Amino acid sequence: MRQSKFYVPTLKENPAEAEVQSHRLLIRAGYIRKVAAGVYTFLPLGKRSLQKIENIVREEMNRFGAQEILMPALQPKELWEKTGRWDAYGPMMMKLKDRKGRDFALGPTHEELITTLVSLDVRSYKELPLNLYQIQPKFRDEPRPRFGLIRAREFIMKDAYSFDVDEDGLKESYEKMRKAYNNVFRRVGLKFIAVKAHTGLIGGSDSEEFMALAEIGEDSIFVCSNCGYAANRELAKSKFTYKWPEEDRALTKMHTPARMSVNDVAQFLSVPETMLIKTMIYRTEKGYVAAVIPGDREAVETKIQTALGVNNVELINPDDFEKLGLPFGYVGPVGLKEILPGVVIVIDERIVDFKNGVTGANEKDYHLTGVTYGRDFVADIVADIAEAKDEDACPNCGEAIKEEKAIEVGHIFQLGTKYSESLDACFLNEKGERKPFFMGCYGIGVSRILSAAVEQNNDDRGMFLPLPIAPFELHLLLLNPADKLLKNTAENLYELLSNNGFEVLYDDREDVTPGVKFSDADLIGIPLQIIVGKKFLEESKVEIKIRSTGERVLVSTENLIEYLNDWKNNEYSKFSAVYEG
RNA sequence: CGGGGCGUGGCGCAGUUUGGUCAGCGCACCUGCCUUGGGAGCAGGGGGUCGGAGGUUCAAGUCCUCUCGCCCCGACCA
């Protein structure tokens, strides 16, 4: 492709609207343009990268037996009402009406559609297992679109759905997708890690997320480098122990005026924060919950959801405290049920041995000391509800776990019969009995991969995508088109490289200085630059610059193709699949 | 949805506090000359009515009201 005719509007300055590197660079380098918050156009460079990512995804899905289809973005309300998700998804769905006033949504996901589809066409166990996927835009009216492509309201997603006769079949399908996903993320060149995950709105039992490591990641994951344990903060288990005073102390009410925070109380009473027990009050669809956790840790709402089997968990606000007759900042589990009848008390499993702790006294300006679990109060539920922290002990092997920030680029779920039952999607088994499909669903944020890759591969001059997803393989720079020899050389090289199967962007622009070409090239970040300029005149060799490392070598034109083939093979071998289909 | 910030040529910004030659700067763009290994130089030129609506005033980019959009921090997710 001749750059003089190629639409690559690069920007010299950072766009004011973009804060994170990947967002800035994708705009500056002419990969994307914003249309509205969380809505983007892909320019030729961006589209080419996207296409490469899609093809890798496609190849791996096909390799593991999935078949590509295409479903509409536009979906009628009725389907969503059957599963109850028209309301559950709520404002996250982009809703609209047709001219007759019929309600539609732009699909945020496709479980309803695919399940209905398959239930109509698949009648027998003989046709199972089946795995169907598509690559297509999804619409989610995110409360807060962010970071360009990373949290967009319209984005490209690969979603796959598997249908099996039973649990074992589902596990097998799931396992295949796990392999496919590992291949995909290796092949697109991301530094990633697979973690245990919370299922959220999609539902189902088991799920794993594929996380691209990045500072700006919105997720926290905990990873054990010793045994390989890895989990999202939303459900990461960890071991930690706090020391409690041995002797039996009496429950004592202490005057702690205007000391509401853990920190204040600990200082005031001259005890470590770990002696304090926090009580957080949440509202759920089944009533109030008091989460009793260590003073120096946060409660994790998704863990509370799991422990109680509820969907909504919301911290109550200070106004609510007053209405409920609770003293804000002084709530504790002892005697709580008398003030708030019906409250479910949940205690974190790692502190059930606590003795002589400090809690709120449920009275303004007072705390209790000497609080001992089992003696002074008992919880209704003992569960893992407190957050894990960096350097906690691994739940499996006991080594220290590390916290990492990451971007979720893929998520696989074992749904079971959640959707097939609510949509009455059944098949006949060998005995002629009607059975609901066992389903799995599997998502990849295709456009998000692009952002994540840029986030992992950039410097102060621009980005450098891994070869498998870079828009071109080579960037041929003709520095001085006015020089006949140089121009001829570059033109010939362009033809030679193209004829040898390389994807080349050829900067043949005549009205642009070398400095601009260098800057644009580094910004756009095509993996390898071939520079035809002064050095060629001096040494009769072209200069090759590896964008990511800045490394430069001189290669004669005769040896160029061989050199490039070696480089290319070597580069691709770094990003090869690990699982066979 | 709560908190904070911002909307002025294509992009990045100044001007708003203290209404009145304030519509300006840099980049980009167009023409010409010149230059060609790290976003060149000189000369000339085109382009905005200040997010939108309403109001106050002799006078509004500047003050008031409403409204729309965008970004950042928190609760949600590929």
Side-chain angles (χ1 to χ4, degrees):
Chain A
M1 180 59 67
R2 288 177 183 272
Q3 203 164 336
S4 59
K5 302 199 171 58
F6 192 59
Y7 183 42
V8 204
T10 57
L11 267 36
K12 211 170 194 172
E13 283 171 285
N14 279 325
E17 71 198 27
E19 205 85 351
V20 303
Q21 276 308 310
S22 59
H23 189 196
R24 283 180 174 170
L25 289 172
L26 285 168
I27 292 173
R28 277 190 58 204
Y31 280 61
I32 63 170
R33 286 291 182 265
K34 188 182 76 182
V35 175
V39 182
Y40 291 87
T41 293
F42 288 86
L43 302 181
L45 282 178
K47 176 61 183 162
R48 288 182 70 104
S49 275
L50 212 50
Q51 202 107 44
K52 293 201 168 183
I53 297 168
E54 287 178 11
N55 285 339
I56 289 171
V57 169
R58 218 168 247 129
E59 283 170 24
E60 294 303 329
M61 292 305 291
N62 294 346
R63 186 206 294 261
F64 288 93
Q67 301 173 55
E68 186 168 11
I69 60 171
L70 181 58
M71 290 182 273
L74 205 54
Q75 308 182 6
K77 177 185 183 184
E78 296 74 47
L79 273 181
W80 286 80
E81 283 182 323
K82 284 188 195 163
T83 52
R85 290 209 299 178
W86 184 262
D87 294 323
Y89 251 93
M92 267 296 249
M93 280 214 271
M94 290 281 191
K95 295 172 183 171
L96 60 145
K97 287 181 192 297
D98 71 6
R99 64 206 298 162
K100 294 177 195 159
R102 186 180 179 195
D103 287 303
F104 283 87
L106 294 174
T109 177
H110 281 68
E111 282 83 8
E112 280 77 2
L113 220 72
I114 189 100
T115 309
T116 305
L117 175 84
V118 170
S119 75
L120 289 174
D121 290 323
V122 177
R123 305 292 171 74
S124 162
Y125 71 94
K126 292 173 192 163
E127 296 167 74
L128 299 176
L130 184 64
N131 187 333
L132 301 172
Y133 77 97
Q134 61 171 350
I135 298 173
Q136 172 254 25
K138 291 280 182 288
F139 299 82
R140 294 186 190 173
D141 197 358
E142 292 284 348
R144 189 179 160 205
R146 223 191 313 201
F147 302 156
L149 263 32
I150 290 178
R151 179 163 301 279
R153 294 193 296 171
E154 176 176 345
F155 58 97
I156 311 293
M157 178 169 167
K158 187 285 302 177
D159 47 325
Y161 306 87
S162 66
F163 298 83
D164 279 280
V165 296
D166 56 19
E167 183 95 43
D168 286 346
L170 167 57
K171 288 210 155 74
E172 228 169 276
S173 295
Y174 181 84
E175 197 50 38
K176 280 186 185 170
M177 287 296 103
R178 232 165 62 83
K179 289 178 177 170
Y181 274 45
N182 273 290
N183 281 355
V184 165
F185 295 113
R186 267 189 63 98
R187 289 187 57 196
V188 298
L190 282 180
K191 293 185 250 316
F192 75 98
I193 187 156
V195 303
K196 292 188 201 315
H198 182 72
T199 52
L201 260 183
I202 304 286
S205 52
D206 250 337
S207 92
E208 274 168 275
E209 287 167 329
F210 290 78
M211 301 299 236
L213 300 175
E215 269 309 304
I216 61 132
E218 297 175 279
D219 282 277
S220 279
I221 60 177
F222 289 89
V223 182
C224 174
S225 55
N226 185 47
C227 72
Y229 176 80
N232 193 304
R233 177 180 186 272
E234 292 176 342
L235 48 61
K237 290 189 181 298
S238 74
K239 292 183 203 156
F240 56 82
T241 44
Y242 293 147
K243 286 211 165 57
W244 310 100
E246 282 303 323
E247 74 282 7
D248 292 324
R249 294 183 189 167
L251 192 61
T252 311
K253 195 157 110 182
M254 300 287 287
H255 190 50
T256 52
R259 306 297 195 295
M260 297 196 289
S261 74
V262 166
N263 189 284
D264 288 346
V265 177
Q267 277 192 8
F268 185 71
L269 298 175
S270 303
V271 296
E273 283 189 9
T274 51
M275 283 277 286
L276 273 72
I277 308 296
K278 265 199 299 206
T279 305
M280 314 291 287
I281 309 293
Y282 293 87
R283 185 185 294 111
T284 76
E285 72 263 28
K286 291 186 187 167
Y288 292 100
V289 173
V292 181
I293 55 171
D296 64 335
R297 301 206 173 220
E298 301 290 320
V300 179
E301 292 181 8
T302 47
K303 289 185 174 182
I304 298 174
Q305 280 176 19
T306 309
L308 276 93
V310 296
N311 291 320
N312 301 310
V313 171
E314 191 187 357
L315 204 54
I316 66 170
N317 58 47
D319 293 347
D320 297 328
F321 277 84
E322 218 166 293
K323 286 180 212 146
L324 297 173
L326 294 169
F328 186 67
Y330 302 95
V331 173
V334 182
L336 181 62
K337 293 207 171 196
E338 283 140 46
I339 306 173
L340 196 58
V343 66
V344 177
I345 298 178
V346 192
I347 188 169
D348 187 79
E349 61 192 14
R350 289 157 296 197
I351 53 168
V352 289
D353 63 341
F354 84 80
K355 262 183 104 169
N356 304 313
V358 178
T359 73
N362 293 322
E363 188 178 329
K364 187 168 167 19
D365 294 338
Y366 287 93
H367 279 80
L368 296 174
T369 64
V371 181
T372 295
Y373 185 73
R375 183 191 73 184
D376 301 320
F377 79 97
V378 183
D380 302 297
I381 298 174
V382 177
D384 173 22
I385 55 169
E387 65 178 341
K389 279 189 173 180
D390 201 49
E391 301 294 317
D392 274 355
C394 171
N396 287 347
C397 71
E399 284 298 306
I401 54 173
K402 273 211 76 61
E403 179 173 9
E404 307 268 9
K405 293 286 175 192
I407 301 165
E408 181 184 356
V409 285
H411 201 159
I412 57 180
F413 300 81
Q414 292 184 28
L415 295 175
T417 54
K418 170 175 172 169
Y419 293 91
S420 46
E421 274 178 21
S422 55
L423 291 164
D424 193 32
C426 296
F427 63 95
L428 294 180
N429 67 10
E430 305 94 309
K431 295 175 190 152
E433 300 162 330
R434 255 172 79 77
K435 294 284 178 192
F437 296 108
F438 275 78
M439 293 176 57
C441 80
Y442 317 92
I444 290 180
V446 173
S447 45
R448 189 181 267 183
I449 287 175
L450 180 55
S451 275
V454 175
E455 206 55 52
Q456 289 184 351
N457 301 287
N458 71 78
D459 58 23
D460 53 353
R461 305 198 53 81
M463 63 166 96
F464 35 96
L465 292 173
L467 180 60
I469 65 169
F472 291 90
E473 294 167 336
L474 307 175
H475 202 168
L476 177 61
L477 306 183
L478 168 58
L479 294 189
N480 184 358
D483 185 301
K484 286 260 159 47
L485 175 58
L486 290 183
K487 169 129 188 173
N488 280 336
T489 305
E491 290 285 331
N492 291 338
L493 278 177
Y494 177 50
E495 211 181 312
L496 178 72
L497 296 168
S498 303
N499 291 341
N500 277 276
F502 290 99
E503 295 172 12
V504 189
L505 181 62
Y506 170 29
D507 195 346
D508 61 336
R509 291 176 295 174
E510 309 230 330
D511 52 352
V512 166
T513 58
V516 173
K517 294 190 177 185
F518 283 130
S519 299
D520 274 347
D522 287 348
L523 180 61
I524 291 168
I526 292 166
L528 200 140
Q529 297 169 14
I530 299 174
I531 302 162
V532 179
K534 201 166 67 188
K535 287 236 172 67
F536 181 79
L537 295 177
E538 290 164 355
E539 317 217 13
S540 294
K541 287 181 177 175
V542 291
E543 183 178 8
I544 288 177
K545 176 181 160 189
I546 310 280
R547 172 61 184 91
S548 57
T549 61
E551 184 190 339
R552 294 165 193 265
V553 287
L554 291 174
V555 180
S556 68
T557 49
E558 302 86 67
N559 296 332
L560 187 60
I561 295 298
E562 191 190 345
Y563 177 91
L564 292 176
N565 276 326
D566 286 350
W567 166 77
K568 188 168 160 179
N569 289 336
N570 181 43
E571 203 64 15
Y572 271 111
S573 71
K574 292 181 194 165
F575 308 112
S576 57
V578 284
Y579 295 108
E580 292 302 321

Short mmCIF file of all heavy atoms in Angstrom, two decimals, chain A residues 51 53-71 114 117 130-136 156-161 446:
data_model
loop_
_atom_site.label_atom_id
_atom_site.label_comp_id
_atom_site.label_asym_id
_atom_site.label_seq_id
_atom_site.Cartn_x
_atom_site.Cartn_y
_atom_site.Cartn_z
N GLN A 51 -9.13 -7.03 11.72
CA GLN A 51 -9.34 -8.15 10.82
C GLN A 51 -8.37 -9.30 11.15
O GLN A 51 -8.75 -10.46 11.13
CB GLN A 51 -9.08 -7.69 9.39
CG GLN A 51 -9.73 -8.55 8.36
CD GLN A 51 -10.92 -7.82 7.76
OE1 GLN A 51 -10.83 -6.64 7.44
NE2 GLN A 51 -12.03 -8.50 7.63
N ILE A 53 -6.99 -9.88 14.03
CA ILE A 53 -7.41 -10.47 15.30
C ILE A 53 -8.59 -11.41 15.05
O ILE A 53 -8.62 -12.54 15.51
CB ILE A 53 -7.79 -9.38 16.32
CG1 ILE A 53 -6.58 -8.52 16.65
CG2 ILE A 53 -8.38 -10.00 17.58
CD1 ILE A 53 -6.91 -7.25 17.42
N GLU A 54 -9.55 -10.93 14.27
CA GLU A 54 -10.73 -11.74 13.97
C GLU A 54 -10.33 -13.05 13.30
O GLU A 54 -10.87 -14.11 13.61
CB GLU A 54 -11.68 -10.98 13.04
CG GLU A 54 -12.41 -9.85 13.73
CD GLU A 54 -13.32 -9.08 12.79
OE1 GLU A 54 -13.55 -9.55 11.65
OE2 GLU A 54 -13.80 -8.00 13.19
N ASN A 55 -9.39 -12.98 12.39
CA ASN A 55 -9.00 -14.19 11.68
C ASN A 55 -8.34 -15.21 12.59
O ASN A 55 -8.56 -16.40 12.45
CB ASN A 55 -8.09 -13.85 10.50
CG ASN A 55 -8.91 -13.24 9.35
OD1 ASN A 55 -10.12 -13.43 9.28
ND2 ASN A 55 -8.25 -12.50 8.48
N ILE A 56 -7.54 -14.71 13.50
CA ILE A 56 -6.92 -15.62 14.47
C ILE A 56 -8.00 -16.29 15.32
O ILE A 56 -8.01 -17.50 15.53
CB ILE A 56 -5.90 -14.86 15.35
CG1 ILE A 56 -4.68 -14.49 14.50
CG2 ILE A 56 -5.50 -15.71 16.56
CD1 ILE A 56 -3.71 -13.54 15.20
N VAL A 57 -8.94 -15.48 15.77
CA VAL A 57 -10.04 -16.01 16.57
C VAL A 57 -10.80 -17.07 15.77
O VAL A 57 -11.09 -18.16 16.26
CB VAL A 57 -11.00 -14.88 16.99
CG1 VAL A 57 -12.28 -15.45 17.59
CG2 VAL A 57 -10.32 -13.94 17.98
N ARG A 58 -11.08 -16.72 14.54
CA ARG A 58 -11.82 -17.63 13.64
C ARG A 58 -11.08 -18.96 13.48
O ARG A 58 -11.66 -20.02 13.63
CB ARG A 58 -11.90 -16.93 12.29
CG ARG A 58 -13.19 -17.13 11.58
CD ARG A 58 -13.31 -16.17 10.40
NE ARG A 58 -14.36 -15.21 10.64
CZ ARG A 58 -14.22 -13.90 10.51
NH1 ARG A 58 -13.07 -13.37 10.16
NH2 ARG A 58 -15.24 -13.11 10.74
N GLU A 59 -9.80 -18.87 13.20
CA GLU A 59 -9.01 -20.08 12.99
C GLU A 59 -9.04 -20.98 14.21
O GLU A 59 -9.18 -22.20 14.10
CB GLU A 59 -7.57 -19.72 12.65
CG GLU A 59 -7.39 -19.24 11.21
CD GLU A 59 -6.00 -18.66 10.96
OE1 GLU A 59 -5.06 -19.03 11.71
OE2 GLU A 59 -5.87 -17.84 10.04
N GLU A 60 -8.92 -20.40 15.37
CA GLU A 60 -8.89 -21.20 16.58
C GLU A 60 -10.26 -21.77 16.93
O GLU A 60 -10.37 -22.89 17.42
CB GLU A 60 -8.30 -20.40 17.74
CG GLU A 60 -6.82 -20.05 17.57
CD GLU A 60 -5.95 -21.30 17.37
OE1 GLU A 60 -6.27 -22.36 17.91
OE2 GLU A 60 -4.94 -21.18 16.63
N MET A 61 -11.29 -20.98 16.67
CA MET A 61 -12.64 -21.49 16.93
C MET A 61 -12.93 -22.66 16.00
O MET A 61 -13.43 -23.70 16.42
CB MET A 61 -13.68 -20.39 16.73
CG MET A 61 -13.62 -19.26 17.75
SD MET A 61 -13.74 -19.81 19.46
CE MET A 61 -15.44 -20.35 19.52
N ASN A 62 -12.58 -22.47 14.75
CA ASN A 62 -12.81 -23.54 13.76
C ASN A 62 -12.00 -24.78 14.12
O ASN A 62 -12.47 -25.90 14.01
CB ASN A 62 -12.44 -23.06 12.36
CG ASN A 62 -13.37 -21.95 11.88
OD1 ASN A 62 -14.43 -21.73 12.47
ND2 ASN A 62 -12.97 -21.24 10.84
N ARG A 63 -10.76 -24.56 14.53
CA ARG A 63 -9.89 -25.67 14.89
C ARG A 63 -10.54 -26.56 15.95
O ARG A 63 -10.37 -27.76 15.95
CB ARG A 63 -8.57 -25.11 15.43
CG ARG A 63 -7.51 -26.17 15.71
CD ARG A 63 -6.52 -25.73 16.79
NE ARG A 63 -5.67 -24.61 16.44
CZ ARG A 63 -4.41 -24.71 16.00
NH1 ARG A 63 -3.87 -25.89 15.83
NH2 ARG A 63 -3.71 -23.63 15.74
N PHE A 64 -11.28 -25.93 16.87
CA PHE A 64 -11.89 -26.72 17.94
C PHE A 64 -13.37 -27.02 17.66
O PHE A 64 -14.15 -27.25 18.59
CB PHE A 64 -11.69 -26.02 19.28
CG PHE A 64 -10.26 -26.11 19.75
CD1 PHE A 64 -9.36 -25.10 19.46
CD2 PHE A 64 -9.81 -27.24 20.40
CE1 PHE A 64 -8.03 -25.20 19.84
CE2 PHE A 64 -8.48 -27.35 20.80
CZ PHE A 64 -7.59 -26.33 20.51
N GLY A 65 -13.71 -26.97 16.40
CA GLY A 65 -15.00 -27.50 16.01
C GLY A 65 -16.19 -26.56 16.10
O GLY A 65 -17.33 -26.98 15.93
N ALA A 66 -15.95 -25.31 16.38
CA ALA A 66 -17.07 -24.37 16.41
C ALA A 66 -17.38 -23.91 14.99
O ALA A 66 -16.50 -23.91 14.13
CB ALA A 66 -16.73 -23.17 17.29
N GLN A 67 -18.63 -23.56 14.75
CA GLN A 67 -19.04 -23.14 13.41
C GLN A 67 -19.52 -21.70 13.43
O GLN A 67 -20.30 -21.31 14.31
CB GLN A 67 -20.16 -24.05 12.91
CG GLN A 67 -19.75 -25.51 12.85
CD GLN A 67 -20.95 -26.38 12.52
OE1 GLN A 67 -21.61 -26.16 11.51
NE2 GLN A 67 -21.23 -27.35 13.38
N GLU A 68 -19.10 -20.94 12.43
CA GLU A 68 -19.43 -19.52 12.44
C GLU A 68 -20.82 -19.27 11.87
O GLU A 68 -21.21 -19.81 10.84
CB GLU A 68 -18.40 -18.72 11.64
CG GLU A 68 -18.64 -17.22 11.75
CD GLU A 68 -17.48 -16.38 11.22
OE1 GLU A 68 -16.57 -16.95 10.59
OE2 GLU A 68 -17.50 -15.16 11.46
N ILE A 69 -21.55 -18.40 12.56
CA ILE A 69 -22.85 -17.94 12.07
C ILE A 69 -22.88 -16.43 12.24
O ILE A 69 -21.90 -15.84 12.68
CB ILE A 69 -24.02 -18.56 12.87
CG1 ILE A 69 -23.92 -18.17 14.34
CG2 ILE A 69 -24.03 -20.08 12.71
CD1 ILE A 69 -25.15 -18.54 15.15
N LEU A 70 -23.97 -15.80 11.89
CA LEU A 70 -24.12 -14.37 12.15
C LEU A 70 -25.54 -14.09 12.58
O LEU A 70 -26.49 -14.35 11.83
CB LEU A 70 -23.77 -13.55 10.89
CG LEU A 70 -23.87 -12.03 11.07
CD1 LEU A 70 -22.97 -11.53 12.18
CD2 LEU A 70 -23.55 -11.33 9.76
N MET A 71 -25.67 -13.58 13.78
CA MET A 71 -27.01 -13.24 14.29
C MET A 71 -27.19 -11.73 14.25
O MET A 71 -26.23 -10.98 14.18
CB MET A 71 -27.14 -13.76 15.72
CG MET A 71 -27.22 -15.28 15.80
SD MET A 71 -27.43 -15.88 17.48
CE MET A 71 -25.72 -15.98 18.02
N ILE A 114 -29.68 -17.37 20.41
CA ILE A 114 -29.10 -18.63 19.96
C ILE A 114 -29.84 -19.82 20.54
O ILE A 114 -30.03 -20.83 19.88
CB ILE A 114 -27.60 -18.70 20.32
CG1 ILE A 114 -26.94 -19.91 19.65
CG2 ILE A 114 -27.37 -18.85 21.80
CD1 ILE A 114 -26.19 -19.56 18.44
N LEU A 117 -32.92 -20.28 18.61
CA LEU A 117 -32.56 -20.81 17.29
C LEU A 117 -32.31 -22.31 17.35
O LEU A 117 -32.91 -23.10 16.60
CB LEU A 117 -31.30 -20.11 16.78
CG LEU A 117 -30.73 -20.63 15.47
CD1 LEU A 117 -31.46 -20.01 14.30
CD2 LEU A 117 -29.24 -20.37 15.36
N LEU A 130 -22.93 -29.30 19.81
CA LEU A 130 -22.92 -28.26 18.78
C LEU A 130 -22.30 -27.01 19.39
O LEU A 130 -22.59 -26.68 20.54
CB LEU A 130 -24.36 -27.99 18.35
CG LEU A 130 -24.60 -27.01 17.21
CD1 LEU A 130 -23.99 -27.52 15.92
CD2 LEU A 130 -26.09 -26.77 17.04
N ASN A 131 -21.45 -26.35 18.61
CA ASN A 131 -20.87 -25.10 19.10
C ASN A 131 -20.93 -24.08 17.97
O ASN A 131 -20.38 -24.29 16.90
CB ASN A 131 -19.42 -25.32 19.55
CG ASN A 131 -18.82 -24.10 20.22
OD1 ASN A 131 -19.24 -22.97 19.95
ND2 ASN A 131 -17.85 -24.31 21.10
N LEU A 132 -21.66 -22.99 18.21
CA LEU A 132 -21.84 -21.95 17.19
C LEU A 132 -21.25 -20.64 17.70
O LEU A 132 -21.38 -20.31 18.87
CB LEU A 132 -23.32 -21.76 16.89
CG LEU A 132 -24.05 -23.00 16.38
CD1 LEU A 132 -25.55 -22.74 16.30
CD2 LEU A 132 -23.51 -23.42 15.01
N TYR A 133 -20.62 -19.91 16.79
CA TYR A 133 -20.07 -18.62 17.21
C TYR A 133 -20.27 -17.57 16.13
O TYR A 133 -20.59 -17.89 14.98
CB TYR A 133 -18.59 -18.76 17.53
CG TYR A 133 -17.66 -18.84 16.33
CD1 TYR A 133 -17.01 -17.70 15.86
CD2 TYR A 133 -17.46 -20.04 15.67
CE1 TYR A 133 -16.16 -17.77 14.77
CE2 TYR A 133 -16.60 -20.12 14.58
CZ TYR A 133 -15.96 -18.98 14.12
OH TYR A 133 -15.13 -19.05 13.04
N GLN A 134 -20.06 -16.34 16.53
CA GLN A 134 -20.14 -15.23 15.59
C GLN A 134 -19.19 -14.13 16.03
O GLN A 134 -18.78 -14.07 17.19
CB GLN A 134 -21.57 -14.68 15.53
CG GLN A 134 -22.04 -14.13 16.87
CD GLN A 134 -23.36 -13.37 16.78
OE1 GLN A 134 -23.85 -13.09 15.70
NE2 GLN A 134 -23.93 -13.03 17.93
N ILE A 135 -18.83 -13.28 15.09
CA ILE A 135 -18.03 -12.10 15.40
C ILE A 135 -18.83 -10.91 14.89
O ILE A 135 -19.13 -10.83 13.70
CB ILE A 135 -16.66 -12.15 14.69
CG1 ILE A 135 -15.87 -13.37 15.19
CG2 ILE A 135 -15.89 -10.86 14.95
CD1 ILE A 135 -14.57 -13.60 14.44
N GLN A 136 -19.18 -10.02 15.81
CA GLN A 136 -20.24 -9.07 15.46
C GLN A 136 -20.28 -7.97 16.51
O GLN A 136 -19.81 -8.17 17.63
CB GLN A 136 -21.50 -9.94 15.40
CG GLN A 136 -22.80 -9.34 15.25
CD GLN A 136 -23.59 -9.35 16.53
OE1 GLN A 136 -23.04 -9.40 17.62
NE2 GLN A 136 -24.89 -9.26 16.41
N ILE A 156 -16.70 -4.85 19.16
CA ILE A 156 -16.70 -6.10 18.41
C ILE A 156 -16.42 -7.26 19.37
O ILE A 156 -15.43 -7.24 20.09
CB ILE A 156 -15.63 -6.13 17.31
CG1 ILE A 156 -15.67 -4.86 16.46
CG2 ILE A 156 -15.80 -7.38 16.44
CD1 ILE A 156 -16.89 -4.70 15.64
N MET A 157 -17.30 -8.22 19.32
CA MET A 157 -17.13 -9.35 20.22
C MET A 157 -17.28 -10.65 19.43
O MET A 157 -18.04 -10.73 18.48
CB MET A 157 -18.22 -9.29 21.30
CG MET A 157 -18.19 -10.43 22.28
SD MET A 157 -19.30 -10.06 23.66
CE MET A 157 -19.39 -11.68 24.41
N LYS A 158 -16.52 -11.62 19.86
CA LYS A 158 -16.74 -12.97 19.37
C LYS A 158 -17.49 -13.67 20.48
O LYS A 158 -17.03 -13.69 21.62
CB LYS A 158 -15.39 -13.68 19.12
CG LYS A 158 -15.49 -15.02 18.45
CD LYS A 158 -15.97 -16.15 19.34
CE LYS A 158 -15.12 -16.35 20.57
NZ LYS A 158 -15.65 -17.40 21.47
N ASP A 159 -18.67 -14.18 20.17
CA ASP A 159 -19.38 -14.94 21.18
C ASP A 159 -19.73 -16.31 20.63
O ASP A 159 -20.15 -16.45 19.49
CB ASP A 159 -20.62 -14.22 21.71
CG ASP A 159 -21.52 -13.64 20.62
OD1 ASP A 159 -20.98 -13.17 19.59
OD2 ASP A 159 -22.74 -13.64 20.79
N ALA A 160 -19.49 -17.32 21.47
CA ALA A 160 -19.74 -18.69 21.06
C ALA A 160 -20.65 -19.34 22.09
O ALA A 160 -20.65 -18.95 23.26
CB ALA A 160 -18.43 -19.46 20.96
N TYR A 161 -21.43 -20.33 21.63
CA TYR A 161 -22.38 -21.00 22.50
C TYR A 161 -22.32 -22.48 22.22
O TYR A 161 -22.44 -22.89 21.07
CB TYR A 161 -23.79 -20.46 22.26
CG TYR A 161 -23.84 -18.95 22.39
CD1 TYR A 161 -23.57 -18.14 21.29
CD2 TYR A 161 -24.12 -18.34 23.61
CE1 TYR A 161 -23.58 -16.75 21.40
CE2 TYR A 161 -24.15 -16.97 23.74
CZ TYR A 161 -23.87 -16.17 22.63
OH TYR A 161 -23.87 -14.81 22.75
N VAL A 446 -12.99 -8.65 20.95
CA VAL A 446 -12.08 -8.53 19.81
C VAL A 446 -11.48 -7.13 19.72
O VAL A 446 -10.26 -6.96 19.62
CB VAL A 446 -12.80 -8.90 18.49
CG1 VAL A 446 -11.92 -8.60 17.29
CG2 VAL A 446 -13.19 -10.37 18.52
#
